[in-house]
Each structure stands twice: as structure tokens, then as C-alpha cells.
Amino acid sequence: MKVFITGGTGNIGQYVTLAAIDAGHETVVLSRNPEKYPSLEKKAKLVKGTITDYAILKDCIKDCKAVIHIALGWGNDPVSMLANDTTATVNLLEISEKAGVEKFIYTSSTAAMGVMRNGMDETVVNLPVDLYGSTKAASEGYVLGFTKYFLTEVGMAELFGRSEKVTMKRNIIRPGYTYSTPPYPDGSTEPDARFRKIAEAVVSNKPVELTKYDGTQFISAQEIAQLYMKLLESDKDGEIYLALGNTWVSWEKIAKIALELCPESKSQIVLNDLGWGADPYIYNVTKMERDFGLSFDSQQDLREHVRWCVEEAKKR
């Protein structure tokens, strides 16, 4: 199968790209700066562009059977977020359907769900709390709601019941905090700086300042790539999958791992108490296990990522 991937050189995308290649799929990757990734360029076709370069998208997608949309558009206000991410996603969605793409996978985020409620799964009502979450929730709505076209040659009185069905299968993955140790020398790592800051503090013997009881259900990009491949190879349609580890881990534990890996460090962990409760809110991630047999503890991958961050901090 020929697969087009946006954001295929980034934190999650690089591992999805490698997984697609390993599965035998012909892979085309859209990247803002493909020249920065010569290691990947040896394995996949890299195309320079962004998700708002619609002419480039049409050319890349015209003979693809699947599209995996991972790239993120950004803005500093509602209008630019809408234009750079949601509108871009909707255009990509329609370009894909018109090109005859059979499968479309959209990368959302747990941010679309917004307000934390214990035991949240794929069925909860989205209550986003920021523009990023609103953007993702809006894009999800278009991906799921794009089931038909309304025929334009009829009047409003005749409109309902007169439509053209969309046959492209559309599914959504909602990653949580996804980290990545670069799979090749010029690879990427997660854009969030918290792992790096902990490692740098430990290596430089500075206090590691954290929020008490702060943590999440970490998942590695290598693990989440497995879910993308399972969904790509399935006949699922109109489904949402949460993608997180099954174990909640605190940032305090991450710092303790870093200290274990750097025993000569004199750093101390300083916990700022913001009044958060000791019992964490947990996402229910059993759907991907039920449908695909996937469940990720992430502990060993997490330790290896912290080790990599510490070694990188020592080089600086």
C-alpha cells in the first residue's frame, strides 16, 4: 500500500514512518525540512512542504491508498489556529477523499477531551480548556462527520435525503504524552522540554524543581507506532483510540531515575505543592487492547529515554 504521512519526521511521525516501511508500505513523507533527515531520506520519499501547501498535497496524495495525518499547525489566537490546523486538516481530508484514498488516520490529542475526569475513555464529551484542545476537538468533528456530500443541484427543500456517501474510512488516534529517543542520528525527540530540563539539572548538580503529584501515562513513539499500523491494516471506520501507557508515572519518579543513572550528582528534588491530590486521574486505555491486543507498560522504554537524556546533557 502506498501511504502518505504528514509530520513523518517528527516526534511520533518518525517511528510511524519506520513502522510503515518495515511493514512493506511505499511511504511518502511531508516535512518542512526534509534535508535535516538524510537517514530517513534513504528509506522513504521525503517531500518539502507544509499542511497548508494544498497543491503539493494534491500531487503527493493522488495515487496513495492511505493518509496518516500527524503534522500540527499552530497559531497564537483562535483564527490562526483554525487556519493553520483545523482548516488545513479539513482540506487534507477532502483532498484525500477526492483522490480515492481508502483510509485516513487523524492524529488528535487527549487535549481534545479537556477537563480531567477520572476513568475517561473514548466516549466522554470533549470539554477543551485551551485553543490547542479546541482545534483538535474541532478537527475530530470534521473527520468523523465527513460521511457524505450534500448534492448542490437540488434546492434546500429537497436537500435532506439527497447526498453522496463518502467511502473513505476515517479514524482518530488521541496520543497522550509521547516521548521519543531518536531512532537514527538525525532523528527527533519530543518538543516538550521537561525530560531535558530534569537531565540538565541532575548533570549540573542543580535542584530539580517539580510539581508535587504531577505525572501522566507516558507512551513512547515506538509503542504508539504499533497502534497506527494496526489501525492502518484494519477495516475500522469512524473510531477513536486513546494512545497512552497503562501505568501512571510521576515526574518525581522520572527525576529519581535520572539520579539513579547519574549517581555522582548532588542534585535534590524540590516538590512545589500546588494542592494537587495524591490520587491521579487515569485514562481508560482498554479499547486499543480490546480491539488490537495492545497494552503498553512503557517502563523500560521510559528508563532508556531518561538515560539518553542524561547522556545528551553530559555532552553539553
Side-chain angles (χ1 to χ4, degrees):
M1 185 190 308
K2 190 171 183 179
V3 182
F4 177 67
I5 304 175
T6 73
T9 56
N11 177 33
I12 294 174
Q14 61 190 345
Y15 277 97
V16 174
T17 298
L18 291 175
I21 293 167
D22 289 344
H25 300 298
E26 182 183 353
T27 307
V28 181
V29 174
L30 183 76
S31 175
R32 291 186 181 90
N33 302 292
E35 66 280 357
K36 292 172 60 177
Y37 307 98
S39 298
L40 191 58
E41 202 164 19
K42 297 174 183 177
K43 300 181 178 183
K45 180 182 178 182
L46 270 58
V47 177
K48 187 177 181 66
T50 71
I51 55 174
T52 57
D53 293 329
Y54 301 129
I56 292 175
L57 296 180
K58 288 179 181 179
D59 186 58
C60 290
I61 291 172
K62 62 185 177 184
D63 56 349
C64 290
K65 293 299 182 184
V67 169
I68 300 176
H69 181 28
I70 305 173
L72 170 68
W74 195 256
N76 296 318
D77 53 67
V79 173
S80 58
M81 285 291 283
L82 176 70
N84 297 334
D85 196 278
T86 299
T87 300
T89 296
V90 174
N91 273 286
L92 178 61
L93 189 67
E94 185 170 35
I95 290 168
S96 299
E97 198 282 332
K98 288 184 175 179
V101 168
E102 297 173 0
K103 299 178 179 181
F104 187 99
I105 299 175
Y106 172 62
T107 305
S108 183
S109 168
T110 52
M113 303 163 79
V115 177
M116 290 295 296
R117 291 144 282 171
N118 197 36
M120 290 197 299
D121 64 10
E122 292 83 355
T123 67
V124 302
V125 174
N126 286 341
L127 299 171
V129 296
D130 57 22
L131 289 177
Y132 174 63
S134 298
T135 297
K136 289 300 185 183
S139 297
E140 283 188 5
Y142 274 95
V143 171
L144 295 177
F146 185 37
T147 60
K148 60 186 177 182
Y149 292 90
F150 293 121
L151 301 183
T152 57
E153 63 269 19
V154 297
M156 285 300 297
E158 303 171 273
L159 181 62
F160 296 100
R162 299 285 302 278
S163 61
E164 180 181 344
K165 186 177 180 181
V166 168
T167 60
M168 181 175 68
K169 291 180 169 61
R170 295 147 289 102
N171 294 288
I172 295 166
I173 293 176
R174 283 181 186 156
Y177 193 114
T178 309
Y179 62 89
S180 59
T181 304
Y184 35 79
D186 47 342
S188 301
T189 187
E190 76 280 347
D192 185 278
R194 280 177 282 186
F195 278 99
R196 186 179 72 246
K197 287 181 178 179
I198 288 172
E200 289 174 348
V202 167
V203 168
S204 59
N205 299 307
K206 295 178 179 178
V208 182
E209 296 191 15
L210 303 169
T211 299
K212 191 175 184 179
Y213 302 133
D214 186 14
T216 191
Q217 291 160 253
F218 295 97
I219 188 170
S220 74
Q222 188 170 14
E223 290 168 332
I224 204 173
Q226 296 179 48
L227 177 58
Y228 279 87
M229 291 303 103
K230 289 286 189 181
L231 193 52
L232 178 66
E233 294 160 4
S234 77
D235 290 324
K236 299 291 185 183
D237 188 22
E239 298 287 348
I240 301 173
Y241 289 92
L242 281 171
L244 303 95
N246 57 32
T247 304
W248 188 91
V249 179
S250 70
W251 283 102
E252 182 182 5
K253 182 175 180 179
I254 300 295
K256 288 179 178 179
I257 293 172
L259 287 167
E260 288 174 18
L261 295 170
C262 192
E264 69 277 13
S265 176
K266 306 301 182 191
S267 291
Q268 298 290 323
I269 298 172
V270 178
L271 297 177
N272 298 313
D273 192 346
L274 301 182
W276 296 8
D279 295 325
Y281 289 114
I282 301 294
Y283 291 96
N284 181 339
V285 293
T286 56
K287 183 176 179 179
M288 65 173 172
E289 182 175 9
R290 184 175 66 247
D291 285 8
F292 300 123
L294 296 176
S295 181
F296 302 111
D297 178 76
S298 302
Q299 298 302 296
Q300 187 57 40
D301 276 358
L302 193 57
R303 186 176 184 85
E304 289 306 311
H305 183 60
V306 176
R307 184 191 304 278
W308 178 82
C309 290
V310 168
E311 292 305 314
E312 288 297 302
K314 288 179 178 179
K315 294 176 185 178
R316 289 192 279 271

